Amino acid sequence: YSQKALKSLPKDNQAYNDILDILSLFHLYSDEDITDYAKAKFKIIQNKRTQAINILNTIKEDNPLYNLAQFEAIYLETNQQNYDKALEQIQNMDKNNIYYNEQLMILEGEIYDYGLNLKSEAVNIYLNFLEIFPESIFYDLIRMRLRELAL
């Protein structure tokens, strides 16, 4: 069915990439693992972020998509301007999860920088990021943002 849906949509359709994203999960995870995650992604496509957050937060830790679901819930909380909740969830994330630490640190810095307008806290996070992730593809962007904040 999903292949038919993709073939019937023009590639410039707004939902095309979202459908591809969801389909890629079917090749990597079991049906049980992705059921709730797929429901949440569908809510995101429908622009029902609060419902998507609620679904993402029900995904259990033993699910291989747990960390991805938590990251997306934090990102959606940020989009909803629930900065305190997003920061609380960032603090509760597993710091041993190497894949999302870089993105979480950037998101945390941006929450303080743009969301809460606490520039000094953002600077501390950005400086810490540069120290921890010197090989990051975001290194130069963070350096440039620090330069802007120093002016």
Side-chain angles (χ1 to χ4, degrees):
Y1 174 75
S2 57
Q3 296 299 329
K4 285 182 187 177
L6 273 181
K7 287 179 183 177
S8 68
L9 282 176
K11 289 187 171 127
D12 61 349
N13 185 296
Q14 186 176 1
Y16 192 85
N17 285 337
D18 294 325
I19 292 171
L20 275 178
D21 188 32
I22 292 169
L23 285 177
S24 69
L25 296 173
F26 287 107
H27 298 290
L28 300 173
Y29 303 103
S30 71
D31 290 347
E32 299 82 37
D33 291 338
I34 63 171
T35 301
D36 288 334
Y37 184 76
K39 287 177 189 174
K41 293 297 273 187
F42 187 64
K43 294 296 182 188
I44 293 168
I45 291 168
Q46 294 177 320
N47 205 26
K48 297 179 179 179
R49 291 187 291 232
T50 304
Q51 291 176 16
I53 291 167
N54 292 336
I55 294 169
L56 290 167
N57 285 331
T58 64
I59 294 176
K60 306 265 188 272
E61 282 189 61
D62 62 346
N63 187 319
L65 291 167
Y66 174 77
N67 289 320
L68 174 60
Q70 291 302 296
F71 179 77
E72 288 196 18
I74 292 167
Y75 184 78
L76 290 171
E77 291 287 7
T78 303
N79 286 343
Q80 295 288 93
Q81 298 181 351
N82 297 333
Y83 302 124
D84 291 333
K85 193 165 188 171
L87 289 170
E88 179 183 328
Q89 286 182 283
I90 288 171
Q91 297 308 314
N92 292 333
M93 281 289 287
D94 181 10
K95 300 301 182 210
N96 295 321
N97 181 349
I98 295 168
Y99 186 77
Y100 293 103
N101 281 348
E102 193 173 341
Q103 291 95 331
L104 284 170
M105 189 174 270
I106 291 171
L107 185 57
E108 183 180 19
E110 289 179 342
I111 289 170
Y112 283 111
D113 190 355
Y114 301 105
L116 299 173
N117 202 30
L118 297 172
K119 304 299 185 193
S120 63
E121 188 64 34
V123 166
N124 290 336
I125 292 167
Y126 291 149
L127 288 171
N128 194 24
F129 177 89
L130 294 178
E131 186 177 313
I132 294 172
F133 300 107
E135 302 296 319
S136 171
I137 62 170
F138 303 108
Y139 188 88
D140 287 334
L141 293 171
I142 298 296
R143 252 183 355 93
M144 289 189 313
R145 180 61 185 150
L146 281 168
R147 189 173 301 141
E148 290 171 7
L149 290 171
L151 297 177

